[in-house]
Amino acid sequence: MNTLWTVLLVILIIAVIALVVLYFLGRKLEKRQVESQALMEAAAQTVSMLVIDKKKLKLKDAGLPKMVYEQTPKYLRRSKVPVVKAKIGPKVMTLMADPKVFEALPVKTEVKAVVSGIYITEIKSVRGGSIQAPPKKKGFFARFKKDK
């Protein structure tokens, strides 16, 4: 009985230590995120662009500058990112987009968007229409239900 209590006490102490470490790491990461968000807002510009194409590509295949790939953590390099090819003025550029913005971004239309560096953070307006998210796909069984 005595060894059971000792094992439970050791497990409890390890769990408390792990929670304390996770708490302080979370606070540190939250501070970093707030600072980077402030920097992105400071560098934000409203730009008129013609969206040519949008895809989700691996970071290496996206055609972004080499510096972007090098600064990305190794565990995120293989993940797919939302990439937008747009014509801004006379230049055709490859930009990354926020996932929510990527879904609502219309292809082959002129858009006023907020861009911070190579990152599209927000859509202000669409020329000749309103911003609409594409309709969600129905599930397998929802297709067979009758609409009344």
Side-chain angles (χ1 to χ4, degrees), residues 6 13 19 54 61 65-66 71-72 74 87 101-102 118:
T6 333
I13 290 172
L19 286 175
K54 67 178 192 174
D61 303 332
K66 190 174 182 181
Q71 288 180 352
T72 306
K74 292 191 185 227
K87 185 176 181 183
V101 172
F102 181 75
I118 61 164

Side-chain angles (χ1 to χ4, degrees), residues 11-64:
I11 291 173
L12 181 66
I13 290 172
I14 291 172
V16 167
I17 291 172
L19 286 175
V20 168
V21 168
L22 287 174
Y23 172 75
F24 285 112
L25 282 176
R27 296 262 317 252
K28 185 178 178 183
L29 290 174
E30 185 179 356
K31 286 179 185 177
R32 269 194 211 161
Q33 191 221 3
V34 168
E35 289 172 4
S36 67
Q37 188 69 29
L39 288 173
M40 285 185 66
E41 288 175 5
Q45 308 174 9
T46 303
V47 177
S48 181
M49 67 174 83
L50 175 68
V51 178
I52 298 170
D53 190 22
K54 67 178 192 174
K55 294 180 186 176
K56 287 196 175 192
L57 298 170
K58 289 187 178 181
L59 198 59
K60 194 169 192 173
D61 303 332
L64 295 169

Side-chain angles (χ1 to χ4, degrees), residues 1-13:
M1 208 53 175
N2 194 13
T3 57
L4 177 67
W5 287 110
T6 333
V7 169
L8 287 176
L9 186 64
V10 168
I11 291 173
L12 181 66
I13 290 172

Side-chain angles (χ1 to χ4, degrees), residues 59 68-79:
L59 198 59
V68 173
Y69 183 73
E70 291 171 355
Q71 288 180 352
T72 306
K74 292 191 185 227
Y75 64 91
L76 291 175
R77 289 185 182 176
R78 290 191 208 159
S79 64

Side-chain angles (χ1 to χ4, degrees), residues 40 85-86 130:
M40 285 185 66
K85 191 167 269 199
S130 62

